[in-house]
Amino acid sequence: MERPQTSPWIYALLGCSITMLFGLFNSFGVLLKPLEHTMGWSRLTISVAFSLYTWVYSLSTPVMGWLDDRVGPRAVYALGAGLIGAGLLLASSARTAVQFDLAFGVIAASGAGALWAPTLSNVTKRFHGSPAQWRATTLVVMGNSLGFLFFPPLVGIALRRGGWRVAIAAMALYSASVLAVAAVAMGRPRSDAPLFPAPRGGFPWPAFRRPAFRYLFIAYASFSATITLVMAHFPAHAQDHGLPEATSTVTISLVGLGSLVGQSIFGLALTR
């Protein structure tokens, strides 16, 4: 008896839940003040962890995309779950700034590369040729903004209830759980042909020879190096200027809300 085919929208919703995990990483700013006060580390020293995360994640994303082409999404999500879970748990037990920076900014960040490219690729393939393709892709992209909107206040609640170590440990368990579900559920699409031509068996370095690709790469890297890094300091600066700790987490959520509105408008415009 043939198994009933799962609706591709189930995978789109799963993809949205995966990209929402970026909101956990970008809740780093909520942890800045508590780390500064409890560990005695300077704000500059703590910020190194998020700077490392931004660059290591950017570099690991194409590697995870390449692995997805070679071994499939299940192995990539399992690897991501292991790296993010281990990195954040190590960060939650760090005793020195160097340990924290390496755990959060290198180990966990390497796993974060599994969140974006493999998810967009696999969801898009499941809707390939369908009029709903752009709507599904927009839903996955909007997960990033939804994570920005909802997770900083939730991390703030965990922080006030149990301290920064408990908050980061909770981030580790939730992230690893979502990716573990993805590793089980997100198998290769039935039509697994590449959406764009790429060299067989090799990393697609020729793409870098195309000016359009280089411009997109520079624009994306510049966004990460400016907006994201600056945004990580919003809650701490808000508290410096007298805003209560519980309210300061909303500064990141407002960025998520604005991004969500923009993605909804432009995503729907693409379907017209």
Side-chain angles (χ1 to χ4, degrees):
M1 181 176 179
E2 187 178 353
R3 294 175 58 185
Q5 186 175 356
T6 303
S7 169
W9 285 104
I10 298 296
Y11 298 105
L13 289 170
L14 178 58
C16 180
S17 70
I18 293 170
T19 55
M20 281 183 70
L21 296 179
F22 283 112
L24 287 177
F25 281 99
N26 285 283
S27 299
F28 182 87
V30 179
L31 306 169
L32 203 56
K33 275 280 192 180
L35 284 166
E36 190 178 11
H37 290 158
T38 60
M39 302 303 292
W41 301 335
S42 70
R43 197 169 293 184
L44 173 63
T45 301
I46 301 168
S47 300
V48 169
F50 196 73
S51 299
L52 282 171
Y53 156 76
T54 301
W55 292 107
V56 171
Y57 154 71
S58 298
L59 293 172
S60 68
T61 295
V63 176
M64 290 293 190
W66 175 74
L67 282 174
D68 179 53
D69 288 336
R70 296 296 298 271
V71 299
R74 286 179 172 164
V76 171
Y77 288 134
L79 176 61
L83 288 171
I84 292 176
L88 291 180
L89 285 175
L90 287 171
S92 71
S93 61
R95 300 296 174 185
T96 68
V98 172
Q99 291 175 350
F100 183 83
D101 291 345
L102 291 176
F104 186 96
V106 177
I107 300 174
S110 298
L115 303 181
W116 193 250
T119 304
L120 276 175
S121 172
N122 282 283
V123 171
T124 303
K125 286 176 182 177
R126 294 178 191 280
F127 284 85
H128 191 47
S130 167
Q133 181 177 8
W134 285 111
R135 291 196 295 274
T137 303
T138 299
L139 177 62
V140 175
V141 172
M142 286 171 61
N144 187 18
S145 299
L146 288 170
F148 276 62
L149 181 63
F150 291 115
F151 281 128
L154 293 176
V155 172
I157 292 172
L159 190 64
R160 292 189 294 276
R161 296 286 180 86
W164 70 268
R165 294 187 187 277
V166 170
I168 296 179
M171 291 164 59
L173 294 175
Y174 181 78
S175 301
S177 298
V178 170
L179 288 176
V181 171
V184 174
M186 190 81 84
R188 284 187 183 273
R190 293 189 176 185
S191 176
D192 197 35
L195 296 176
F196 304 100
R200 178 175 295 181
F203 197 82
W205 294 118
F208 285 90
R209 300 195 189 105
R210 301 179 181 178
F213 184 89
R214 291 199 300 269
Y215 296 150
L216 286 172
F217 181 84
I218 292 170
Y220 185 80
S222 299
F223 170 82
S224 297
T226 53
I227 304 299
T228 308
L229 290 176
V230 171
M231 185 179 62
H233 293 271
F234 283 1
H237 282 297
Q239 291 176 53
D240 289 343
H241 287 82
L243 204 64
E245 180 184 343
T247 310
S248 67
T249 61
V250 178
T251 56
I252 298 178
S253 296
L254 289 174
V255 176
L257 179 61
S259 179
L260 187 63
V261 171
Q263 288 169 349
S264 301
I265 293 172
F266 289 107
L268 289 173
L270 285 172
T271 65
R272 303 302 179 190

